[in-house]
Amino acid sequence: MYQLTIGHLYPDLLNLYGDRGNIAALTNRLLWRGMDAKVVSFELQDDIDFSKLDIVFLGGGSDREQQLVCNRLLEQKDAFTAYVEDGGVTLAVCGGYQLLGRYYQLKEETIPGLSILDITTEAGEGRLIGNVVLSTSLDGRAFQVAGFENHGGRTHIGDHLPFGKVAAGFGNNGEDGTEGVLYKNTIGTYLHGPLLPKNPEVADFLLSRALERKYGARVVLPLLDDTLELEAKGYIVDRFASKA
Ligand code: GLN
């Protein structure tokens, strides 16, 4: 039986806006297909053996929580970097996304990041808040993504590929029309919400890549009835962006 192990990093510190719903979506989409899911939650004092994980999830947090997490992750930076470089699947939301970058510059201090992604974040005037619609393409399949953002940081992604193009909302910085980053099998994004329950295509992208990495061949994911999920998303897309 196919089984994936999902590492949930610091759910007690990084869990804004129900980000843990992403774990429920990943788990259920495996179970509904007769596959197995194991979730391992890590607290700050725990050592993380990335070699035992198939998917890593980091949610969003306040600046203070982000700082705590960052200090701890810097001690495990080499193992986390090696995991991402090896195609380990990672979903990092908002504060979790920012800390994969080089730094998060606040007014009075700079939180050093893991430099896994070559991106930088600076706190700007005011927060970028609201519903977001993106156009994206994963594994050659183009679709729209709906979500919600609330961040003070403005992120610049340099030469990285974005996760999507902003059709409604602010995205990485409110200026260049990009949202998030897609690097190997890692998605960094500002989209809370949570993201995966109403964007099943993204959930299945992460699951396929994780299964492929673990089992060495493309595992065909049986189709699920996503009528409800896609209706929920369609409602947001119709409300905030015209369909591209
Ligand atoms: N503290 C970060 C910011 O405001 C991230 C916040 C979040 O995760 N929502 O930019």
Side-chain angles (χ1 to χ4, degrees), residues 132-135 144-145 164-169 177 179 237 240-244:
V132 186
V133 177
L134 308 178
S135 304
Q144 288 177 302
V145 173
K165 288 197 181 130
V166 175
E179 203 296 312
V237 170
F240 295 101
S242 55
K243 282 186 182 161

Side-chain angles (χ1 to χ4, degrees), residues 16-17 60-63 66 93-95 98 104 127 150-153 190 192:
L16 288 177
Y17 309 111
S62 69
D63 293 347
Q66 200 171 323
V93 174
C94 204
Q98 293 171 346
Y104 176 29
R127 301 188 67 78
N150 180 355
H151 50 109
Y190 274 113
H192 290 283

Side-chain angles (χ1 to χ4, degrees), residues 1 20 31 37 56 94 119 125 130 153 155 162 167 173 232 237:
M1 188 197 257
R20 73 174 68 228
L31 298 181
V56 166
C94 204
I119 64 172
E125 283 305 316
T155 298
N173 48 56
V237 170

Side-chain angles (χ1 to χ4, degrees), residues 7-234:
H8 191 175
L9 270 50
Y10 317 122
D12 50 339
L13 293 169
L14 301 179
N15 183 34
L16 288 177
Y17 309 111
D19 282 338
R20 73 174 68 228
N22 291 315
I23 300 280
L26 290 169
T27 304
N28 282 307
R29 294 184 74 78
L30 285 169
L31 298 181
W32 291 333
R33 290 168 161 129
M35 301 180 184
D36 201 16
K38 188 172 151 203
V39 178
V40 186
S41 296
F42 294 95
E43 296 187 5
L44 218 47
Q45 69 275 11
D46 298 334
D47 288 322
I48 302 169
D49 183 351
F50 285 92
S51 71
K52 295 211 161 56
L53 302 179
D54 304 306
I55 300 181
V56 166
F57 175 67
L58 286 148
S62 69
D63 293 347
R64 190 193 70 85
E65 288 156 340
Q66 200 171 323
Q67 174 108 57
L68 287 171
V69 164
C70 228
N71 290 342
R72 179 64 178 121
L73 277 178
L74 279 169
E75 296 169 14
Q76 302 165 88
K77 176 182 155 164
D78 291 348
F80 197 176
T81 306
Y83 168 84
V84 169
E85 288 298 324
D86 184 54
V89 172
T90 307
L91 175 64
V93 174
C94 204
Y97 165 44
Q98 293 171 346
L99 65 79
L100 295 186
R102 283 169 42 207
Y103 59 79
Y104 176 29
Q105 170 86 59
L106 296 164
K107 282 211 171 67
E108 318 242 299
E109 58 180 323
T110 302
I111 303 178
L114 299 173
S115 298
I116 293 174
L117 301 177
D118 192 10
I119 64 172
T120 57
T121 302
E122 283 97 31
E125 283 305 316
R127 301 188 67 78
L128 306 180
I129 305 174
N131 290 283
V132 186
V133 177
L134 308 178
S135 304
T136 193
S137 173
L138 295 175
D139 278 341
R141 182 175 175 202
F143 59 95
Q144 288 177 302
V145 173
F148 174 79
E149 63 185 328
N150 180 355
H151 50 109
R154 274 68 165 167
T155 298
H156 291 90
I157 63 170
D159 292 334
H160 276 294
L161 279 181
F163 170 48
K165 288 197 181 130
V166 175
F170 296 102
N172 280 323
N173 48 56
E175 286 168 3
D176 65 14
T178 66
E179 203 296 312
V181 160
L182 172 65
Y183 175 67
K184 297 194 174 191
N185 292 334
T186 290
I187 293 177
T189 177
Y190 274 113
L191 271 51
H192 290 283
L195 171 69
L196 299 182
K198 59 182 175 292
N199 295 286
E201 306 93 329
V202 182
D204 282 356
F205 168 79
L206 298 172
L207 293 174
S208 317
R209 290 296 179 96
L211 287 164
E212 193 179 332
R213 177 168 177 261
K214 181 162 185 183
Y215 294 100
R218 188 158 283 256
V219 178
V220 178
L221 284 176
L223 284 180
L224 296 175
D225 178 1
D226 287 327
T227 310
L228 273 179
E229 288 84 345
L230 296 176
E231 265 180 32
K233 172 163 75 169

